[in-house]
Amino acid sequence: MQRYSGFGLVKHALRHHEDWQRQWRNPTPKPGYDVIIVGGGGHGLATAYYLAKEHGITNVAVLEKGWLGGGNTARNTTIVRSNYLWDESAALYEHAMKHWEGLSQELNYNVMFSQRGVLNLGHTLQDMRDIQRRVNANRLNGIDGEVLDAEGVQSLVPIMDCSKRARYPVMGASWQPRAGVARHDAVAWGYARAADALGVDLLQNTEVTGFKIRDGQIQGVHTNRGDIEAKTVGCVTAGNSSVLAGMAGLNLPLESHPLQALVSEPLKPVLDTVVMSNHVHGYISQSDKGDLVIGAGIDGYNGYGQRGSYPTVEHTLQAIVEMFPIFSRVRMNRQWGGIVDTCPDACPILSKTKVKGLYFNCGWGTGGFKATPGSGHVFAASLAKGEMHPIAAPFSIDRFHSGALIDEHGAAGVAH
Ligand code: FAD
Ligand code: PYC
């Protein structure tokens, strides 16, 4: 891995930045690998990295139909928190949080993890009861959290309208101080560079078009660049997971929906924490660059277009302006959408399937970015050992037969 000194930066600037070394190789696919990961988003790349780093399995390929991190990983609004209600999900997201806290050092790549805290607002008595219950549960699980009243929220965010005049007055919030934001594409690039350095082949523009299955055992994949053999295949394809599952004759309980976000023109620093309201379907933070990062609830219909409908954006911006009248004249710069795969209990699927050697990691819905390092870590261990890691085990697809659902609709960041 090449590292650049200050002198190196000057040297490259003098050469018009023309001879930078690539951050990862562009290899030709081998005929076969020990493990294939389908999907080069954060979760797939993290899985490949931990397979190589922690399990010594380096004969691994990540197959990405587009470019690394071009899916939801670089489309999300980068909120990281671990304040989930149930023990199973609290363990999963807190496992990720502990990885976040050392990730820049681990990858030698600045992922700009900023623990600026997250507020989840309550606007009704029932919201506040749910918040109290969730914070109590968090504390029992060793996760930081506090319940704030409206005055407490106002003192953290002076520019928010916390008065009783608002259409949905703020009654209080849950506050997780260790939560925050990170730079999403740096997460993909950091894992990609580190996995490549350990020998993982990152194959972009390589689309999986089918699976080779014999006697109930995965043998490999069909791709637009030919067949590739592997006895272990992990699908980490977010919004496209039902399509991949269908290729293997599996039916996952997922719905794919558009989820939108938008950013404003850059402003001077005015908001130093993250504010989310499930009730009014809007959330907001300010990036280090100064733009307001704003997100919505899902668009209600199913679809694979990476865009959303205007009424959803309008509804969200109304909510934001009601909470922050100070932003009413701010102009929006860009809007985009991703495809999120939602599960009936608003929890992910990390699971074996009835095809031996074929695993799925999907169903993260609107909230998987925060889980990236933890998800990759436990999924890699599961693929390496052939048994689901104890933190991943409760998220098996068997729960939709047994009824052992983990209902996190209350903690999911945006309603879905
Ligand atoms: P992706 O990054 O989508 O990667 C999957 C990859 O699979 C894609 O690159 C895709 O091209 C590839 N692929 C698909 N089919 C194939 C195929 N046949 N062959 C090869 N490759 C294939 N989560 C949070 O925690 N906090 C947030 O603030 C947040 N905000 C969000 C805002 C928006 C607008 C959106 C859309 C999502 C948000 N999320 C958030 C959710 C989060 O982005 C996702 O849960 C997470 O990024 C999923 O990561 P991934 O690596 O599984 O998926
Ligand atoms: O899960 O925290 C979250 C989230 C915020 C915005 C979208 N998802």
Side-chain angles (χ1 to χ4, degrees):
M1 190 188 304
Q2 185 172 337
R3 292 192 170 81
Y4 293 98
S5 62
F7 175 72
L9 285 172
V10 173
K11 189 179 77 182
H12 282 286
L14 292 174
R15 289 185 190 158
H16 306 287
H17 293 289
E18 275 171 2
D19 60 348
W20 288 95
Q21 189 188 344
R22 287 183 179 276
Q23 295 209 65
W24 47 84
R25 296 163 298 128
N26 183 21
T28 305
K30 294 191 225 166
Y33 292 88
D34 293 336
V35 181
I36 286 176
I37 303 296
V38 188
H43 289 237
L45 292 164
T47 305
Y49 168 73
Y50 292 116
L51 274 171
K53 170 85 189 313
E54 299 215 345
H55 305 282
I57 303 175
T58 56
N59 188 25
V60 175
V62 177
L63 275 44
E64 166 53 52
K65 71 175 176 180
W67 63 95
L68 301 180
N72 286 344
T73 294
R75 292 165 188 272
N76 69 72
T77 44
T78 81
I79 297 171
V80 174
R81 58 191 173 85
S82 60
N83 54 356
Y84 281 71
L85 175 68
W86 296 101
D87 293 352
E88 295 84 349
S89 27
L92 179 58
Y93 291 100
E94 181 60 18
H95 187 62
M97 181 66 90
K98 295 216 165 73
H99 277 274
W100 279 112
E101 288 174 329
L103 195 59
S104 293
Q105 289 79 3
E106 165 84 25
L107 299 177
N108 184 30
Y109 206 106
N110 187 0
V111 300
M112 297 171 74
F113 181 46
S114 159
Q115 290 178 292
R116 59 185 66 181
V118 170
L119 285 164
N120 294 94
L121 301 181
H123 301 264
T124 65
L125 198 53
Q126 188 57 41
D127 277 356
M128 291 312 298
R129 287 189 182 127
D130 291 343
I131 282 171
Q132 186 75 61
R133 178 176 179 224
R134 186 162 47 77
V135 170
N136 287 343
N138 290 161
R139 287 179 167 215
L140 286 172
N141 277 314
I143 295 171
D144 58 318
E146 282 172 48
V147 179
L148 302 181
D149 60 15
E151 288 73 41
V153 175
Q154 187 76 82
S155 69
L156 274 176
V157 191
I159 59 168
M160 185 159 55
D161 181 1
C162 291
S163 72
K164 298 227 164 26
R165 288 189 308 273
R167 179 145 54 126
Y168 299 104
V170 174
M171 291 185 73
S174 69
W175 165 241
Q176 188 183 16
R178 283 164 67 239
V181 290
R183 177 158 178 202
H184 45 20
D185 40 18
V187 175
W189 299 335
Y191 274 120
R193 188 180 72 167
D196 171 86
L198 292 169
V200 170
D201 279 359
L202 305 175
L203 305 172
Q204 302 186 75
N205 300 312
T206 309
E207 177 167 5
V208 170
T209 53
F211 294 104
K212 294 169 74 172
I213 299 167
R214 198 170 57 234
D215 299 330
Q217 159 75 52
I218 194 86
Q219 307 292 333
V221 296
H222 303 295
T223 82
N224 60 335
R225 299 173 75 183
D227 291 358
I228 309 177
E229 311 285 323
K231 289 276 173 21
T232 302
V233 175
C235 285
V236 198
T237 46
N240 287 282
S241 298
S242 306
V243 179
L244 271 287
M247 291 175 192
L250 306 169
N251 198 1
L252 297 180
L254 294 174
E255 284 192 17
S256 297
H257 287 267
L259 179 68
Q260 311 188 52
L262 54 170
V263 290
S264 73
E265 59 189 343
L267 309 177
K268 287 197 172 160
V270 281
L271 181 61
D272 64 0
T273 186
V274 182
V275 180
M276 305 180 61
S277 171
N278 231 348
H279 194 94
V280 300
H281 286 173
Y283 61 92
I284 184 164
S285 66
Q286 186 173 25
S287 77
D288 292 341
K289 215 167 60 180
D291 33 19
L292 301 175
V293 182
I294 295 174
I298 55 170
D299 279 43
Y301 50 89
N302 299 136
Y304 288 100
Q306 289 181 313
R307 53 183 296 185
S309 60
Y310 184 71
T312 305
V313 174
E314 193 180 26
H315 176 76
T316 292
L317 289 178
Q318 271 170 5
I320 295 294
V321 170
E322 289 232 5
M323 289 193 289
F324 295 92
I326 189 176
F327 294 146
S328 61
R329 288 167 58 202
V330 173
R331 282 163 297 197
M332 293 298 131
N333 247 354
R334 288 185 295 119
Q335 174 273 353
W336 66 91
I339 316 160
V340 295
D341 50 345
T342 61
C343 260
D345 58 357
C347 269
I349 293 172
L350 291 148
S351 191
K352 293 182 176 187
T353 66
K354 65 183 183 197
V355 178
K356 197 157 179 290
L358 178 63
Y359 298 75
F360 273 80
N361 175 342
C362 59
W364 293 95
T366 60
F369 175 67
K370 67 175 80 63
T372 305
S375 154
H377 189 254
V378 299
F379 199 51
S382 308
L383 301 187
K385 301 210 165 84
E387 278 311 319
M388 297 312 291
H389 185 283
I391 290 180
F395 299 92
S396 154
I397 37 182
D398 293 344
R399 74 183 190 272
F400 300 103
H401 298 283
S402 69
L405 301 181
I406 308 162
D407 192 329
E408 286 290 0
H409 280 98
V414 280
H416 70 265

